[in-house]
Amino acid sequence: MNGGDAATSQGSGPPPPLEWRFSQVFGERTAGEEVQEVDIISAIEFNKSGDHLATGDRGGRVVLFERTDAKDHGGSRRDLERADYAVKHPEFRYKTEFQSHEPEFDYLKSLEIEEKINKIRWCQPANGALFLLSTNDKTIKFWKVQEKKIKKVCDMNVDPSKAVGNGCLTSSSSPSQSVANGLYADGTHNYLSNDFSFPPGGFPSLHLPVVTSQEASIVARCRRVYTHAHDYHINSISNSSDGETFISADDLRVNLWNLGISNQSFNIVDVKPANMEDLTEVITSAEFHPIHCNVLAYSSSKGSIRLIDLRQSALCDTHSKLFEEPEAPGSRSFFTEIIASISDIKFSKDGRYILSRDYMTLKLWDINMDSGPVATYQVHEHLRPKLCDLYENDSIFDKFECCLSGDGSRVATGSYSNLFRVFGVAPGITEATTLEASKNPMRRQVQTPSRPSRSLSSITRVVRRGSESPGSDGNGNSFDFTTKLLHLAWHPTENSVACAAANSLYMYYA
């Protein structure tokens, strides 16, 4: 099914297909360089304005980038010479990084808690400072990032003849020549000793210390730590549109927090059965509505999405709407439930649609129509004949993220071989573009209608010892299960996409 039914009201006619180009790369590997596990990017998020970008990695670090292109620095000769290039896409530069989480050990449960950053969410800025939430499996932290001017004393209140360097007192490596009893080694008075007394005749000269402000330094400070609220691994955090609350979700519960209160939260969703043997599905992702602070959605491992309204009851045991696609008769197999599990959901900017990603497809849902998705996009249909091999090497459990453009006309998600796909969802659009996370994304670009790719008779054979051989898909493009593009984000106002391939952050624009 193509995206013709997904009305986006973005003008009278459908937008033309986008021509994607490489923009920037941060942390690109050199040939033969081995990627360290702690450097692999595990979260990406633009802030609301799109002027800042944050990434988190498996080593618990958060890296911030800021926009620096002609939009903010217009008028320079370099920008004027590159006007066409500068206007088309944003340019970013490294801003700062900080250690958000450290590895921990839960002694009560004898469990190691990884420092890996699962999600990052920006909060509303204030007074020129940036605020964001980051979480690992158990602990959420609230960070404030701002520029601080470092003040430094350049002249000390001592006689220059008794000072060396930057106003430091002369010293000797010999203990016998150390300062003692208020005297220097040469017999003169030590005016700074604890046994202070005015010298005979008073001070010959008095030098007041001078404080100078050095260049600004960016400082990240942890303002609050939200912990001890989840028994299972946190998979989602999401800010409310009211700017005061956020939710966190694990496999069985969704908790509501106030940003200003870190020692208590309110449990709003609990799907844990009285007997754990009766457990049939778990929560996989949760997201607040972008406009209405009382509405949120969460997805499950059974491929369903539930919309809940916080005004209906304190504990949202019942949903206000349920979105799930009916199972086609005779299509059930051992892998049906596994590939139906939704790994990520996102609201469109206006809150009208929900985009969901399961293992094989992207689905677009209209929140006013719960009979089924208004559009389905096949991401890598050519892998369907090899689900058994994907199951054996655990690739079938990979959790791919999805994103929407700011105007709601396009959606994107990742795949294997560091590929990602962009689909048009505006009326009449059949755009489906495949790009590779590299400096030459066009070499694997394919413009085809958004329909399932034809299956191959021969696809990558998974070797049990873990090394997969490259294969090729229905369009003749090679692919490799060992490289995968799980995380990506779309700029909120422009056609620019940031995506992570291992430890590298690639930026593209159209």
Side-chain angles (χ1 to χ4, degrees):
M1 180 188 297
N2 66 32
D5 297 327
T8 53
S9 65
Q10 301 298 326
S12 56
L18 297 179
E19 183 180 350
W20 291 91
R21 295 185 178 93
F22 167 80
S23 171
Q24 291 175 280
V25 60
F26 297 94
E28 187 178 38
R29 287 176 290 168
T30 58
E33 180 185 355
E34 185 177 349
V35 178
Q36 300 297 317
E37 180 78 11
V38 294
D39 295 330
I40 295 177
I41 297 173
S42 56
I44 300 179
E45 184 80 4
F46 280 104
N47 72 338
K48 193 172 184 179
S49 68
D51 291 335
H52 290 89
L53 174 67
T55 66
D57 62 27
R58 295 187 183 181
R61 296 181 297 263
V62 172
V63 183
L64 303 185
F65 301 88
E66 65 179 350
R67 186 168 179 172
T68 61
D69 58 290
K71 180 177 180 181
D72 301 313
H73 301 85
S76 72
R77 180 179 177 183
R78 178 173 175 269
D79 287 334
L80 292 175
E81 290 174 351
R82 302 174 63 213
D84 288 341
Y85 178 77
V87 168
K88 285 184 179 178
H89 72 101
E91 290 182 356
F92 286 81
R93 72 178 176 192
Y94 170 88
K95 183 179 179 74
T96 189
E97 67 180 84
F98 55 91
Q99 189 71 32
S100 175
H101 288 73
E102 300 280 359
E104 301 174 47
F105 189 80
D106 187 335
Y107 293 97
L108 293 177
K109 297 181 179 179
S110 295
L111 288 175
E112 288 187 9
I113 303 173
E114 292 183 352
E115 65 271 37
K116 172 191 169 188
I117 305 296
N118 291 341
K119 295 289 180 181
I120 295 174
R121 290 291 182 265
W122 290 90
C123 304
Q124 294 180 358
N127 301 324
L130 302 172
F131 296 88
L132 53 87
L133 291 166
S134 62
T135 184
N136 65 352
D137 287 340
K138 296 291 184 182
T139 305
I140 306 162
K141 293 186 178 182
F142 182 53
W143 292 91
K144 178 181 181 181
V145 181
Q146 64 181 151
E147 289 189 354
K148 288 275 190 180
K149 288 187 177 180
I150 307 300
K151 293 183 177 180
K152 188 176 182 182
V153 176
C154 67
D155 292 318
M156 297 297 291
N157 186 22
V158 294
D159 191 308
S161 64
K162 302 295 188 297
V164 294
N166 190 21
C168 297
L169 295 177
T170 54
S171 61
S172 172
S173 58
S174 172
S176 62
Q177 296 178 339
S178 61
V179 178
N181 298 325
L183 296 175
Y184 286 108
D186 60 4
T188 59
H189 282 80
N190 172 15
Y191 304 142
L192 301 180
S193 69
N194 292 330
D195 186 18
F196 182 81
S197 60
F198 281 95
F203 287 103
S205 62
L206 183 64
H207 301 275
L208 295 176
V210 178
V211 178
T212 59
S213 293
Q214 305 297 315
E215 62 182 35
S217 175
I218 301 171
V219 178
R221 307 179 77 174
C222 183
R223 298 292 299 273
R224 290 178 187 87
V225 179
Y226 312 89
T227 188
H228 305 307
H230 289 277
D231 293 329
Y232 303 93
H233 292 174
I234 299 171
N235 55 50
S236 304
I237 51 175
S238 179
N239 305 86
S240 169
S241 59
D242 63 11
E244 297 180 359
T245 56
F246 70 94
I247 56 171
S248 58
D250 65 18
D251 290 346
L252 299 179
R253 293 186 175 93
V254 178
N255 292 331
L256 179 67
W257 301 82
N258 187 296
L259 279 169
I261 303 172
S262 59
N263 59 357
Q264 64 180 7
S265 62
F266 190 79
N267 178 228
I268 55 176
V269 176
D270 189 346
V271 300
K272 184 177 181 180
N275 185 353
M276 285 296 284
E277 293 181 359
D278 298 331
L279 183 67
T280 58
E281 62 181 332
V282 296
I283 299 169
T284 57
S285 182
E287 188 89 358
F288 252 123
H289 192 281
I291 299 173
H292 303 299
C293 61
N294 57 288
V295 176
L296 60 97
Y298 67 91
S299 60
S300 83
S301 57
K302 277 194 169 182
S304 62
I305 302 172
R306 289 171 172 83
L307 200 69
I308 61 175
D309 191 333
L310 297 176
R311 296 172 300 183
Q312 290 183 346
S313 63
L315 182 60
C316 301
D317 291 324
T318 58
H319 51 266
S320 57
K321 286 189 178 178
L322 173 65
F323 306 95
E324 60 183 357
E325 190 169 26
E327 187 177 311
S331 64
R332 189 168 185 81
S333 70
F334 172 79
F335 304 108
T336 299
E337 284 197 15
I338 299 176
I339 65 174
S341 178
I342 295 175
S343 55
D344 190 28
I345 59 171
K346 292 287 194 311
F347 275 99
S348 61
K349 191 175 182 179
D350 60 4
R352 170 73 182 274
Y353 298 93
I354 299 175
L355 180 68
S356 67
R357 170 68 202 267
D358 56 44
Y359 187 70
M360 300 297 292
T361 66
L362 275 174
K363 291 185 174 73
L364 192 68
W365 308 79
D366 187 331
I367 65 171
N368 297 320
M369 190 178 82
D370 53 9
S371 58
V374 295
T376 299
Y377 308 93
Q378 307 293 346
V379 178
H380 40 217
E381 183 67 17
H382 54 273
L383 297 181
R384 192 174 293 275
K386 290 296 178 180
L387 290 179
C388 184
D389 291 336
L390 292 163
Y391 177 79
E392 288 180 359
N393 77 339
D394 288 340
S395 293
I396 201 170
F397 301 107
D398 288 332
K399 299 184 183 302
F400 293 94
E401 294 181 357
C402 59
C403 59
L404 298 95
S405 61
D407 61 6
S409 64
R410 290 173 175 86
V411 297
T413 192
S415 183
Y416 294 101
S417 297
N418 290 341
L419 300 178
F420 69 97
R421 307 204 67 194
V422 180
F423 300 95
V425 301
I429 284 292
T430 56
E431 177 183 351
T433 304
T434 302
L435 299 131
E436 180 189 16
S438 72
K439 288 186 176 180
N440 186 17
M442 301 296 287
R443 69 182 174 200
R444 289 194 180 180
Q445 176 169 318
V446 180
Q447 291 284 355
T448 60
S450 54
R451 60 176 183 266
S453 303
R454 62 185 175 88
S455 299
L456 283 184
S457 57
S458 174
I459 296 188
T460 297
R461 181 69 181 172
V462 178
V463 183
R464 289 185 181 276
R465 64 176 177 268
S467 60
E468 294 85 357
S469 305
S472 58
D473 64 14
N475 297 309
N477 298 321
S478 62
F479 65 87
D480 178 12
F481 295 142
T482 61
T483 56
K484 59 197 72 172
L485 198 152
L486 301 176
H487 312 285
L488 75 171
W490 201 297
H491 191 281
T493 60
E494 301 176 17
N495 286 324
S496 177
V497 174
C499 55
N503 66 324
S504 302
L505 176 67
Y506 287 91
M507 310 281 292
Y508 305 94
Y509 73 98

